[in-house]
PDB file of all heavy atoms in Angstrom:
ATOM      1  N   ILE A  10     107.353 117.299 101.587  1.00  0.00           N
ATOM      2  CA  ILE A  10     107.063 117.985 100.335  1.00  0.00           C
ATOM      3  C   ILE A  10     105.897 117.301  99.649  1.00  0.00           C
ATOM      4  O   ILE A  10     105.029 117.971  99.076  1.00  0.00           O
ATOM      5  CB  ILE A  10     108.298 118.101  99.480  1.00  0.00           C
ATOM      6  CG1 ILE A  10     109.490 118.749 100.216  1.00  0.00           C
ATOM      7  CG2 ILE A  10     108.001 118.841  98.160  1.00  0.00           C
ATOM      8  CD1 ILE A  10     109.177 120.124 100.775  1.00  0.00           C
ATOM      9  N   GLU A  11     105.839 115.973  99.682  1.00  0.00           N
ATOM     10  CA  GLU A  11     104.760 115.259  99.114  1.00  0.00           C
ATOM     11  C   GLU A  11     103.414 115.680  99.820  1.00  0.00           C
ATOM     12  O   GLU A  11     102.392 115.795  99.155  1.00  0.00           O
ATOM     13  CB  GLU A  11     104.926 113.755  99.179  1.00  0.00           C
ATOM     14  CG  GLU A  11     105.999 113.249  98.222  1.00  0.00           C
ATOM     15  CD  GLU A  11     106.033 111.693  98.222  1.00  0.00           C
ATOM     16  OE1 GLU A  11     105.716 111.091  99.289  1.00  0.00           O
ATOM     17  OE2 GLU A  11     106.389 111.077  97.172  1.00  0.00           O
ATOM     18  N   GLU A  12     103.478 115.815 101.090  1.00  0.00           N
ATOM     19  CA  GLU A  12     102.272 116.240 101.881  1.00  0.00           C
ATOM     20  C   GLU A  12     101.867 117.668 101.482  1.00  0.00           C
ATOM     21  O   GLU A  12     100.660 117.927 101.335  1.00  0.00           O
ATOM     22  CB  GLU A  12     102.586 116.181 103.391  1.00  0.00           C
ATOM     23  CG  GLU A  12     102.840 114.811 103.922  1.00  0.00           C
ATOM     24  CD  GLU A  12     103.209 114.763 105.344  1.00  0.00           C
ATOM     25  OE1 GLU A  12     103.221 115.893 106.037  1.00  0.00           O
ATOM     26  OE2 GLU A  12     103.492 113.704 105.899  1.00  0.00           O
ATOM     27  N   LEU A  13     102.873 118.542 101.263  1.00  0.00           N
ATOM     28  CA  LEU A  13     102.565 119.839 100.794  1.00  0.00           C
ATOM     29  C   LEU A  13     101.846 119.825  99.414  1.00  0.00           C
ATOM     30  O   LEU A  13     100.749 120.529  99.295  1.00  0.00           O
ATOM     31  CB  LEU A  13     103.832 120.636 100.646  1.00  0.00           C
ATOM     32  CG  LEU A  13     103.730 122.031  99.976  1.00  0.00           C
ATOM     33  CD1 LEU A  13     102.922 123.017 100.860  1.00  0.00           C
ATOM     34  CD2 LEU A  13     105.104 122.648  99.608  1.00  0.00           C
ATOM     35  N   PHE A  14     102.352 119.041  98.548  1.00  0.00           N
ATOM     36  CA  PHE A  14     101.725 118.963  97.208  1.00  0.00           C
ATOM     37  C   PHE A  14     100.288 118.428  97.225  1.00  0.00           C
ATOM     38  O   PHE A  14      99.406 118.916  96.560  1.00  0.00           O
ATOM     39  CB  PHE A  14     102.587 118.176  96.274  1.00  0.00           C
ATOM     40  CG  PHE A  14     103.948 118.756  95.908  1.00  0.00           C
ATOM     41  CD1 PHE A  14     104.944 117.890  95.433  1.00  0.00           C
ATOM     42  CD2 PHE A  14     104.182 120.046  96.117  1.00  0.00           C
ATOM     43  CE1 PHE A  14     106.188 118.386  95.101  1.00  0.00           C
ATOM     44  CE2 PHE A  14     105.451 120.558  95.812  1.00  0.00           C
ATOM     45  CZ  PHE A  14     106.447 119.785  95.306  1.00  0.00           C
ATOM     46  N   ALA A  15     100.043 117.502  98.173  1.00  0.00           N
ATOM     47  CA  ALA A  15      98.712 116.920  98.239  1.00  0.00           C
ATOM     48  C   ALA A  15      97.751 117.930  98.850  1.00  0.00           C
ATOM     49  O   ALA A  15      96.519 117.864  98.583  1.00  0.00           O
ATOM     50  CB  ALA A  15      98.792 115.721  99.167  1.00  0.00           C
ATOM     51  N   GLU A  16      98.241 118.880  99.667  1.00  0.00           N
ATOM     52  CA  GLU A  16      97.348 119.861 100.310  1.00  0.00           C
ATOM     53  C   GLU A  16      97.033 121.076  99.438  1.00  0.00           C
ATOM     54  O   GLU A  16      96.079 121.840  99.695  1.00  0.00           O
ATOM     55  CB  GLU A  16      97.990 120.373 101.613  1.00  0.00           C
ATOM     56  CG  GLU A  16      98.107 119.283 102.673  1.00  0.00           C
ATOM     57  CD  GLU A  16      98.992 119.734 103.842  1.00  0.00           C
ATOM     58  OE1 GLU A  16      99.532 120.889 103.774  1.00  0.00           O
ATOM     59  OE2 GLU A  16      99.041 118.959 104.831  1.00  0.00           O
ATOM     60  N   LEU A  17      97.837 121.315  98.325  1.00  0.00           N
ATOM     61  CA  LEU A  17      97.673 122.497  97.536  1.00  0.00           C
ATOM     62  C   LEU A  17      96.578 122.287  96.495  1.00  0.00           C
ATOM     63  O   LEU A  17      96.783 122.126  95.275  1.00  0.00           O
ATOM     64  CB  LEU A  17      99.020 122.789  96.797  1.00  0.00           C
ATOM     65  CG  LEU A  17     100.162 123.208  97.702  1.00  0.00           C
ATOM     66  CD1 LEU A  17     101.420 123.399  96.881  1.00  0.00           C
ATOM     67  CD2 LEU A  17      99.836 124.488  98.552  1.00  0.00           C
ATOM     68  N   LYS A  18      95.353 122.279  97.001  1.00  0.00           N
ATOM     69  CA  LYS A  18      94.199 122.153  96.057  1.00  0.00           C
ATOM     70  C   LYS A  18      93.454 123.483  96.070  1.00  0.00           C
ATOM     71  O   LYS A  18      93.220 124.158  97.050  1.00  0.00           O
ATOM     72  CB  LYS A  18      93.257 121.037  96.534  1.00  0.00           C
ATOM     73  CG  LYS A  18      93.816 119.614  96.365  1.00  0.00           C
ATOM     74  CD  LYS A  18      92.766 118.624  96.741  1.00  0.00           C
ATOM     75  CE  LYS A  18      93.301 117.145  96.568  1.00  0.00           C
ATOM     76  NZ  LYS A  18      92.304 116.169  96.940  1.00  0.00           N
ATOM     77  N   VAL A  19      92.935 123.799  94.870  1.00  0.00           N
ATOM     78  CA  VAL A  19      92.100 124.995  94.679  1.00  0.00           C
ATOM     79  C   VAL A  19      90.868 124.585  93.958  1.00  0.00           C
ATOM     80  O   VAL A  19      90.937 124.096  92.859  1.00  0.00           O
ATOM     81  CB  VAL A  19      92.933 126.117  93.910  1.00  0.00           C
ATOM     82  CG1 VAL A  19      92.008 127.366  93.753  1.00  0.00           C
ATOM     83  CG2 VAL A  19      94.204 126.444  94.605  1.00  0.00           C
ATOM     84  N   ASP A  20      89.700 124.841  94.651  1.00  0.00           N
ATOM     85  CA  ASP A  20      88.434 124.601  93.953  1.00  0.00           C
ATOM     86  C   ASP A  20      88.371 123.116  93.404  1.00  0.00           C
ATOM     87  O   ASP A  20      87.823 122.836  92.353  1.00  0.00           O
ATOM     88  CB  ASP A  20      88.210 125.543  92.853  1.00  0.00           C
ATOM     89  CG  ASP A  20      86.799 125.361  92.248  1.00  0.00           C
ATOM     90  OD1 ASP A  20      85.826 125.274  93.000  1.00  0.00           O
ATOM     91  OD2 ASP A  20      86.656 125.390  90.951  1.00  0.00           O
ATOM     92  N   GLY A  21      88.914 122.184  94.157  1.00  0.00           N
ATOM     93  CA  GLY A  21      88.897 120.796  93.736  1.00  0.00           C
ATOM     94  C   GLY A  21      89.886 120.410  92.704  1.00  0.00           C
ATOM     95  O   GLY A  21      90.041 119.219  92.414  1.00  0.00           O
ATOM     96  N   ASP A  22      90.572 121.377  92.085  1.00  0.00           N
ATOM     97  CA  ASP A  22      91.609 121.007  91.143  1.00  0.00           C
ATOM     98  C   ASP A  22      92.849 120.584  91.885  1.00  0.00           C
ATOM     99  O   ASP A  22      93.395 121.383  92.717  1.00  0.00           O
ATOM    100  CB  ASP A  22      91.993 122.317  90.335  1.00  0.00           C
ATOM    101  CG  ASP A  22      91.031 122.535  89.180  1.00  0.00           C
ATOM    102  OD1 ASP A  22      90.275 121.636  88.865  1.00  0.00           O
ATOM    103  OD2 ASP A  22      91.084 123.620  88.561  1.00  0.00           O
ATOM    104  N   ALA A  23      93.275 119.348  91.637  1.00  0.00           N
ATOM    105  CA  ALA A  23      94.456 118.843  92.268  1.00  0.00           C
ATOM    106  C   ALA A  23      95.707 119.695  91.793  1.00  0.00           C
ATOM    107  O   ALA A  23      95.781 120.106  90.609  1.00  0.00           O
ATOM    108  CB  ALA A  23      94.692 117.372  91.985  1.00  0.00           C
ATOM    109  N   PHE A  24      96.597 119.973  92.734  1.00  0.00           N
ATOM    110  CA  PHE A  24      97.841 120.616  92.349  1.00  0.00           C
ATOM    111  C   PHE A  24      98.669 119.616  91.520  1.00  0.00           C
ATOM    112  O   PHE A  24      98.668 118.396  91.829  1.00  0.00           O
ATOM    113  CB  PHE A  24      98.580 121.056  93.605  1.00  0.00           C
ATOM    114  CG  PHE A  24      99.926 121.617  93.387  1.00  0.00           C
ATOM    115  CD1 PHE A  24     100.082 122.905  92.948  1.00  0.00           C
ATOM    116  CD2 PHE A  24     101.054 120.843  93.618  1.00  0.00           C
ATOM    117  CE1 PHE A  24     101.320 123.459  92.748  1.00  0.00           C
ATOM    118  CE2 PHE A  24     102.329 121.375  93.365  1.00  0.00           C
ATOM    119  CZ  PHE A  24     102.449 122.659  92.994  1.00  0.00           C
ATOM    120  N   THR A  25      99.308 120.113  90.490  1.00  0.00           N
ATOM    121  CA  THR A  25     100.087 119.173  89.591  1.00  0.00           C
ATOM    122  C   THR A  25     101.555 119.420  89.770  1.00  0.00           C
ATOM    123  O   THR A  25     102.143 120.382  89.260  1.00  0.00           O
ATOM    124  CB  THR A  25      99.744 119.454  88.142  1.00  0.00           C
ATOM    125  OG1 THR A  25      98.321 119.270  87.961  1.00  0.00           O
ATOM    126  CG2 THR A  25     100.489 118.488  87.260  1.00  0.00           C
ATOM    127  N   PRO A  26     102.247 118.521  90.571  1.00  0.00           N
ATOM    128  CA  PRO A  26     103.697 118.601  90.706  1.00  0.00           C
ATOM    129  C   PRO A  26     104.421 117.945  89.561  1.00  0.00           C
ATOM    130  O   PRO A  26     104.023 116.799  89.142  1.00  0.00           O
ATOM    131  CB  PRO A  26     103.989 117.898  92.013  1.00  0.00           C
ATOM    132  CG  PRO A  26     102.857 116.883  92.135  1.00  0.00           C
ATOM    133  CD  PRO A  26     101.662 117.464  91.423  1.00  0.00           C
ATOM    134  N   VAL A  27     105.421 118.568  89.005  1.00  0.00           N
ATOM    135  CA  VAL A  27     106.227 117.935  87.990  1.00  0.00           C
ATOM    136  C   VAL A  27     107.622 117.757  88.562  1.00  0.00           C
ATOM    137  O   VAL A  27     108.309 118.785  88.863  1.00  0.00           O
ATOM    138  CB  VAL A  27     106.318 118.842  86.727  1.00  0.00           C
ATOM    139  CG1 VAL A  27     107.164 118.172  85.627  1.00  0.00           C
ATOM    140  CG2 VAL A  27     104.896 119.138  86.209  1.00  0.00           C
ATOM    141  N   VAL A  28     108.021 116.553  88.753  1.00  0.00           N
ATOM    142  CA  VAL A  28     109.318 116.223  89.396  1.00  0.00           C
ATOM    143  C   VAL A  28     110.410 115.985  88.322  1.00  0.00           C
ATOM    144  O   VAL A  28     110.196 115.128  87.440  1.00  0.00           O
ATOM    145  CB  VAL A  28     109.186 115.017  90.345  1.00  0.00           C
ATOM    146  CG1 VAL A  28     110.572 114.768  91.057  1.00  0.00           C
ATOM    147  CG2 VAL A  28     108.098 115.293  91.382  1.00  0.00           C
ATOM    148  N   LEU A  29     111.503 116.701  88.461  1.00  0.00           N
ATOM    149  CA  LEU A  29     112.541 116.593  87.432  1.00  0.00           C
ATOM    150  C   LEU A  29     113.846 116.133  88.102  1.00  0.00           C
ATOM    151  O   LEU A  29     114.183 116.636  89.247  1.00  0.00           O
ATOM    152  CB  LEU A  29     112.784 117.970  86.788  1.00  0.00           C
ATOM    153  CG  LEU A  29     111.478 118.561  86.074  1.00  0.00           C
ATOM    154  CD1 LEU A  29     111.490 120.024  86.102  1.00  0.00           C
ATOM    155  CD2 LEU A  29     111.479 118.008  84.690  1.00  0.00           C
ATOM    156  N   ASN A  30     114.547 115.186  87.552  1.00  0.00           N
ATOM    157  CA  ASN A  30     115.761 114.649  88.050  1.00  0.00           C
ATOM    158  C   ASN A  30     116.925 115.116  87.174  1.00  0.00           C
ATOM    159  O   ASN A  30     116.782 115.275  85.986  1.00  0.00           O
ATOM    160  CB  ASN A  30     115.762 113.187  88.283  1.00  0.00           C
ATOM    161  CG  ASN A  30     115.773 112.398  86.953  1.00  0.00           C
ATOM    162  OD1 ASN A  30     116.823 112.249  86.311  1.00  0.00           O
ATOM    163  ND2 ASN A  30     114.624 111.907  86.529  1.00  0.00           N
ATOM    164  N   ARG A  31     118.078 115.248  87.757  1.00  0.00           N
ATOM    165  CA  ARG A  31     119.280 115.786  87.050  1.00  0.00           C
ATOM    166  C   ARG A  31     119.724 114.894  85.916  1.00  0.00           C
ATOM    167  O   ARG A  31     120.115 115.364  84.897  1.00  0.00           O
ATOM    168  CB  ARG A  31     120.397 116.016  88.024  1.00  0.00           C
ATOM    169  CG  ARG A  31     121.508 116.816  87.402  1.00  0.00           C
ATOM    170  CD  ARG A  31     122.642 117.158  88.454  1.00  0.00           C
ATOM    171  NE  ARG A  31     122.141 118.011  89.504  1.00  0.00           N
ATOM    172  CZ  ARG A  31     122.111 119.303  89.491  1.00  0.00           C
ATOM    173  NH1 ARG A  31     122.424 119.946  88.359  1.00  0.00           N
ATOM    174  NH2 ARG A  31     121.744 120.020  90.520  1.00  0.00           N
ATOM    175  N   GLU A  32     119.711 113.554  86.090  1.00  0.00           N
ATOM    176  CA  GLU A  32     120.239 112.713  84.996  1.00  0.00           C
ATOM    177  C   GLU A  32     119.437 112.768  83.793  1.00  0.00           C
ATOM    178  O   GLU A  32     119.938 112.840  82.686  1.00  0.00           O
ATOM    179  CB  GLU A  32     120.306 111.252  85.578  1.00  0.00           C
ATOM    180  CG  GLU A  32     120.846 110.263  84.520  1.00  0.00           C
ATOM    181  CD  GLU A  32     120.895 108.883  85.051  1.00  0.00           C
ATOM    182  OE1 GLU A  32     120.608 108.599  86.216  1.00  0.00           O
ATOM    183  OE2 GLU A  32     121.245 107.972  84.221  1.00  0.00           O
ATOM    184  N   ASP A  33     118.064 112.735  83.927  1.00  0.00           N
ATOM    185  CA  ASP A  33     117.242 112.700  82.692  1.00  0.00           C
ATOM    186  C   ASP A  33     116.824 114.088  82.209  1.00  0.00           C
ATOM    187  O   ASP A  33     116.440 114.257  81.041  1.00  0.00           O
ATOM    188  CB  ASP A  33     115.917 111.924  83.021  1.00  0.00           C
ATOM    189  CG  ASP A  33     116.177 110.482  83.343  1.00  0.00           C
ATOM    190  OD1 ASP A  33     117.196 109.867  82.762  1.00  0.00           O
ATOM    191  OD2 ASP A  33     115.512 109.854  84.206  1.00  0.00           O
ATOM    192  N   HIS A  34     116.922 115.108  83.077  1.00  0.00           N
ATOM    193  CA  HIS A  34     116.394 116.405  82.705  1.00  0.00           C
ATOM    194  C   HIS A  34     117.394 117.546  82.950  1.00  0.00           C
ATOM    195  O   HIS A  34     117.078 118.557  83.521  1.00  0.00           O
ATOM    196  CB  HIS A  34     115.096 116.664  83.544  1.00  0.00           C
ATOM    197  CG  HIS A  34     114.137 115.529  83.500  1.00  0.00           C
ATOM    198  ND1 HIS A  34     113.534 114.996  84.646  1.00  0.00           N
ATOM    199  CD2 HIS A  34     113.574 114.859  82.436  1.00  0.00           C
ATOM    200  CE1 HIS A  34     112.695 114.021  84.316  1.00  0.00           C
ATOM    201  NE2 HIS A  34     112.709 113.948  82.984  1.00  0.00           N
ATOM    202  N   ALA A  35     118.609 117.283  82.536  1.00  0.00           N
ATOM    203  CA  ALA A  35     119.688 118.166  82.782  1.00  0.00           C
ATOM    204  C   ALA A  35     119.490 119.552  82.131  1.00  0.00           C
ATOM    205  O   ALA A  35     119.777 120.599  82.661  1.00  0.00           O
ATOM    206  CB  ALA A  35     121.042 117.585  82.237  1.00  0.00           C
ATOM    207  N   SER A  36     118.847 119.563  80.922  1.00  0.00           N
ATOM    208  CA  SER A  36     118.562 120.845  80.296  1.00  0.00           C
ATOM    209  C   SER A  36     117.537 121.675  81.045  1.00  0.00           C
ATOM    210  O   SER A  36     117.627 122.882  81.015  1.00  0.00           O
ATOM    211  CB  SER A  36     118.083 120.568  78.814  1.00  0.00           C
ATOM    212  OG  SER A  36     116.806 120.016  78.857  1.00  0.00           O
ATOM    213  N   ALA A  37     116.596 121.076  81.646  1.00  0.00           N
ATOM    214  CA  ALA A  37     115.602 121.756  82.492  1.00  0.00           C
ATOM    215  C   ALA A  37     116.306 122.333  83.688  1.00  0.00           C
ATOM    216  O   ALA A  37     116.060 123.512  84.154  1.00  0.00           O
ATOM    217  CB  ALA A  37     114.492 120.811  82.872  1.00  0.00           C
ATOM    218  N   PHE A  38     117.216 121.597  84.335  1.00  0.00           N
ATOM    219  CA  PHE A  38     117.937 122.090  85.513  1.00  0.00           C
ATOM    220  C   PHE A  38     118.790 123.324  85.084  1.00  0.00           C
ATOM    221  O   PHE A  38     118.715 124.348  85.811  1.00  0.00           O
ATOM    222  CB  PHE A  38     118.922 121.047  85.990  1.00  0.00           C
ATOM    223  CG  PHE A  38     118.410 120.178  87.090  1.00  0.00           C
ATOM    224  CD1 PHE A  38     117.479 119.196  86.867  1.00  0.00           C
ATOM    225  CD2 PHE A  38     118.895 120.303  88.410  1.00  0.00           C
ATOM    226  CE1 PHE A  38     116.991 118.382  87.856  1.00  0.00           C
ATOM    227  CE2 PHE A  38     118.381 119.514  89.454  1.00  0.00           C
ATOM    228  CZ  PHE A  38     117.465 118.547  89.165  1.00  0.00           C
ATOM    229  N   ALA A  39     119.375 123.309  83.897  1.00  0.00           N
ATOM    230  CA  ALA A  39     120.153 124.419  83.456  1.00  0.00           C
ATOM    231  C   ALA A  39     119.281 125.632  83.161  1.00  0.00           C
ATOM    232  O   ALA A  39     119.594 126.771  83.523  1.00  0.00           O
ATOM    233  CB  ALA A  39     120.984 124.048  82.230  1.00  0.00           C
ATOM    234  N   ALA A  40     118.139 125.370  82.433  1.00  0.00           N
ATOM    235  CA  ALA A  40     117.311 126.481  82.018  1.00  0.00           C
ATOM    236  C   ALA A  40     116.686 127.216  83.238  1.00  0.00           C
ATOM    237  O   ALA A  40     116.494 128.447  83.232  1.00  0.00           O
ATOM    238  CB  ALA A  40     116.188 125.949  81.135  1.00  0.00           C
ATOM    239  N   TYR A  41     116.402 126.462  84.306  1.00  0.00           N
ATOM    240  CA  TYR A  41     115.728 127.074  85.486  1.00  0.00           C
ATOM    241  C   TYR A  41     116.765 127.386  86.575  1.00  0.00           C
ATOM    242  O   TYR A  41     116.350 127.705  87.704  1.00  0.00           O
ATOM    243  CB  TYR A  41     114.676 126.082  86.000  1.00  0.00           C
ATOM    244  CG  TYR A  41     113.387 126.190  85.138  1.00  0.00           C
ATOM    245  CD1 TYR A  41     113.306 125.368  84.002  1.00  0.00           C
ATOM    246  CD2 TYR A  41     112.371 127.025  85.534  1.00  0.00           C
ATOM    247  CE1 TYR A  41     112.165 125.457  83.218  1.00  0.00           C
ATOM    248  CE2 TYR A  41     111.245 127.039  84.781  1.00  0.00           C
ATOM    249  CZ  TYR A  41     111.093 126.274  83.590  1.00  0.00           C
ATOM    250  OH  TYR A  41     109.939 126.393  82.873  1.00  0.00           O
ATOM    251  N   ASN A  42     118.090 127.242  86.294  1.00  0.00           N
ATOM    252  CA  ASN A  42     119.172 127.562  87.267  1.00  0.00           C
ATOM    253  C   ASN A  42     118.854 126.827  88.556  1.00  0.00           C
ATOM    254  O   ASN A  42     118.905 127.379  89.691  1.00  0.00           O
ATOM    255  CB  ASN A  42     119.230 129.081  87.461  1.00  0.00           C
ATOM    256  CG  ASN A  42     120.429 129.463  88.264  1.00  0.00           C
ATOM    257  OD1 ASN A  42     120.350 130.300  89.192  1.00  0.00           O
ATOM    258  ND2 ASN A  42     121.627 128.905  87.991  1.00  0.00           N
ATOM    259  N   ALA A  43     118.528 125.528  88.445  1.00  0.00           N
ATOM    260  CA  ALA A  43     118.065 124.745  89.565  1.00  0.00           C
ATOM    261  C   ALA A  43     119.147 123.908  90.246  1.00  0.00           C
ATOM    262  O   ALA A  43     120.137 123.544  89.600  1.00  0.00           O
ATOM    263  CB  ALA A  43     116.871 123.868  89.101  1.00  0.00           C
ATOM    264  N   GLN A  44     118.882 123.583  91.483  1.00  0.00           N
ATOM    265  CA  GLN A  44     119.711 122.650  92.295  1.00  0.00           C
ATOM    266  C   GLN A  44     118.682 121.688  92.865  1.00  0.00           C
ATOM    267  O   GLN A  44     117.443 121.836  92.751  1.00  0.00           O
ATOM    268  CB  GLN A  44     120.507 123.287  93.297  1.00  0.00           C
ATOM    269  CG  GLN A  44     119.657 124.033  94.405  1.00  0.00           C
ATOM    270  CD  GLN A  44     120.442 124.796  95.441  1.00  0.00           C
ATOM    271  OE1 GLN A  44     121.512 125.271  95.168  1.00  0.00           O
ATOM    272  NE2 GLN A  44     119.879 124.885  96.657  1.00  0.00           N
TER     273      GLN A  44
END
């Protein structure tokens, strides 16, 4: 997945991954119905 994020470039703009973990970002997990 890290390799995928590194390859997702458009016109030189680096792709920006935002990594969220359950302990610190529980409200984001809930809002996005994420696992």
Side-chain angles (χ1 to χ4, degrees):
I10 304 304
E11 286 188 333
E12 293 176 5
L13 170 69
F14 293 161
E16 294 170 357
L17 295 177
K18 290 184 178 180
V19 181
D20 186 44
D22 279 345
F24 176 78
T25 303
V27 181
V28 180
L29 302 152
N30 70 78
R31 190 178 295 276
E32 180 178 355
D33 297 326
H34 311 129
S36 67
F38 267 74
Y41 282 85
N42 190 223
Q44 63 183 30

